[in-house]
């Protein structure tokens, strides 16, 4: 997987990435374009509203995002979970107790967690905001997503979903604190597992509109999850010889909490606009090879092998 880098500013860490296409045959092999998708979690009815709280679900081709405002004491169980999934607790005062395959962990909040396959549970004694991320193979959740109809068929330019190799130390609950100091040249706070690569950006003020970074991804979607502030997602699709494939530019305002799913081949950039506390999480499934090659970017790189590139 790859990304064009010609439009990054010189001080953007992504400007060091190699460019090129991972699609066999180059651009001549590309087939039309997928469409974008957005979910404004605070402005629509939740897909689940029960004793656990309110949960909104939206998806991309390979992933499912579950955003939850949990009630105190809520427990979220997975029985026979088919693969690793993610728990993100970005708030400081949202403790949780975790259980999976005989392992028990407690976290104070402000944590990124990889949960293993099999039976597991997450309990929130005080309730609060959490995000869970599941692969497309969790069909029970995929069916509930607000935009499920958009993914009834495989989107063009996205290859079949292939998970990355299992961790040599085995599957288990892996807990990482979000309290990671910023380092010049490193791109956010990034972790990966067999199913996901997730980059949790640091809170920022409004973005300079004269220093944006329009770029595209040849063969994968990007999920931009806003958990604070507000973001405007700017998208443009290249023209082909078939006018029927042309798509109008988009400039979509997505206040937090929200999800924007950026399709492959669309030229895109996102601008945060709130005066402060703009918080974005970029999500990719499966993980990205180009980010994995950057020294020091993936904070748990030693725990998960990188497969050969196709």
């Amino acid at each position: 997987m790859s990304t064009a880098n010609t439009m990054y500013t010189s001080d953007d860490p992504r400007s060091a990435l190699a460019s090129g296409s991972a699609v066999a045959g180059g651009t001549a092999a590309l087939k039309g374009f997928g469409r974008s998708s957005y979910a404004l979690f605070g402005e629509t009815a939740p897909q689940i509203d029960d004793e656990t709280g309110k949960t909104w679900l939206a998806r991309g081709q390979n992933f499912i995002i579950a955003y939850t405002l949990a009630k105190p004491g809520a427990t979220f169980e997975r029985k026979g979970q088919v693969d690793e999934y993610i728990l993100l607790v970005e708030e400081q005062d949202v403790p949780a107790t975790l259980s999976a395959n005989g392992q028990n962990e407690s976290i104070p909040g402000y944590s990124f967690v990889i949960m293993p396959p099999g039976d597991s549970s997450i309990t929130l004694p005080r309730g609060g905001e959490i995000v869970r991320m599941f692969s497309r193979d969790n069909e029970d959740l995929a069916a509930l997503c607000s935009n499920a109809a958009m993914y009834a068929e495989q989107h063009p330019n996205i290859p079949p979903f292939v998970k990355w190799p299992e961790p040599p130390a085995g599957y288990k609950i892996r807990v990482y604190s979000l309290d990671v100091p910023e380092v010049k040249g490193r791109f956010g706070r990034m972790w990966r597992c067999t199913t996901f690569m997730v980059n949790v950006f640091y809170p920022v003020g409004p973005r300079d509109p004269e220093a944006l970074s329009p770029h595209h991804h040849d063969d994968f979607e990007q999920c931009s999850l806003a958990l604070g502030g507000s973001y405007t997602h700017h998208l443009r699709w290249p023209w082909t010889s078939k006018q029927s494939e042309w798509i109008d530019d988009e400039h979509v305002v997505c206040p937090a909490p929200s999800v924007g799913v950026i399709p492959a081949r669309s030229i895109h950039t996102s601008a945060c606009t709130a005066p402060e506390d703009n918080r974005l999480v970029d999500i990719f499934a499966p993980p990205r090879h180009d980010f994995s090659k950057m020294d020091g970017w993936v904070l748990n790189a030693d725990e998960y092998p990188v497969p050969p590139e196709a």
Side-chain angles (χ1 to χ4, degrees), residues 63-310:
F63 56 83
I64 300 158
I65 307 300
Y67 172 85
T68 299
L69 297 176
K71 294 179 180 179
T75 294
F76 302 88
E77 291 187 324
R78 294 295 294 169
K79 296 292 187 181
Q81 170 69 25
V82 298
D83 50 18
E84 289 184 306
Y85 68 102
I86 302 299
L87 168 67
L88 174 62
V89 186
E90 205 183 30
E91 298 296 332
Q92 297 270 6
D93 57 349
V94 180
T97 57
L98 317 172
S99 176
N101 305 325
Q103 179 185 1
N104 298 288
E105 302 286 344
S106 296
I107 61 173
Y110 204 52
S111 298
F112 180 89
V113 181
I114 300 171
M115 297 291 289
D119 296 347
S120 63
S121 67
I122 298 166
T123 299
L124 302 169
R126 301 181 195 167
E129 177 191 72
I130 64 169
V131 178
R132 288 165 294 155
M133 308 172 194
F134 300 90
S135 82
R136 63 175 294 169
D137 291 344
N138 295 275
E139 296 179 357
D140 60 322
L141 299 176
L144 296 176
C145 290
S146 59
N147 59 348
M150 288 192 65
Y151 297 94
E153 297 181 2
Q154 182 81 12
H155 273 215
N157 302 319
I158 299 178
F161 181 53
V162 177
K163 297 165 191 176
W164 279 29
E166 297 181 8
Y171 290 120
K172 62 181 179 179
I173 301 173
R174 289 177 161 87
V175 178
Y176 310 94
S177 172
L178 292 176
D179 188 11
V180 179
E182 290 192 63
V183 174
K184 183 176 177 58
R186 191 184 69 218
F187 193 46
R189 293 165 289 182
M190 193 182 306
W191 293 272
R192 71 169 183 248
C193 63
T194 57
T195 48
F196 282 96
M197 175 176 280
V198 181
N199 194 3
V200 184
F201 291 99
Y202 296 94
V204 294
R207 189 171 188 179
D208 181 356
E210 299 303 310
L212 301 179
S213 58
H215 62 286
H216 76 272
H217 309 299
D218 286 325
D219 51 2
F220 60 89
E221 289 177 319
Q222 173 177 311
C223 176
S224 290
L225 166 69
L227 291 177
S230 184
Y231 287 79
T232 301
H233 301 298
H234 303 282
L235 281 76
R236 169 170 289 181
W237 285 260
W239 286 359
T240 71
S241 60
K242 298 179 180 179
Q243 188 172 348
S244 61
E245 293 181 343
W246 294 4
I247 301 173
D248 291 339
D249 290 357
E250 292 182 354
H251 308 278
V252 180
V253 177
C254 289
S258 64
V259 154
V261 182
I262 314 299
R265 298 296 298 170
S266 66
I267 301 167
H268 64 276
T269 189
S270 296
C272 45
T273 57
E276 60 183 5
D277 197 35
N278 294 288
R279 289 177 281 124
L280 192 70
V281 181
D282 276 352
I283 300 162
F284 306 96
R288 291 175 58 164
H289 277 277
D290 56 351
F291 282 2
S292 294
K293 292 177 182 177
M294 302 301 289
D295 186 36
W297 279 26
V298 180
L299 297 173
N300 66 338
D302 59 331
E303 297 183 72
Y304 285 89
V306 176
E309 292 190 67

Side-chain angles (χ1 to χ4, degrees), residues 2-10 12-20 212-218 288 290-291 294:
S2 60
T3 181
N5 67 6
T6 55
M7 296 186 184
Y8 295 129
T9 58
S10 59
D12 189 314
R14 291 170 295 179
S15 64
L17 294 172
S19 62
L212 301 179
S213 58
H215 62 286
H216 76 272
H217 309 299
D218 286 325
R288 291 175 58 164
D290 56 351
F291 282 2
M294 302 301 289

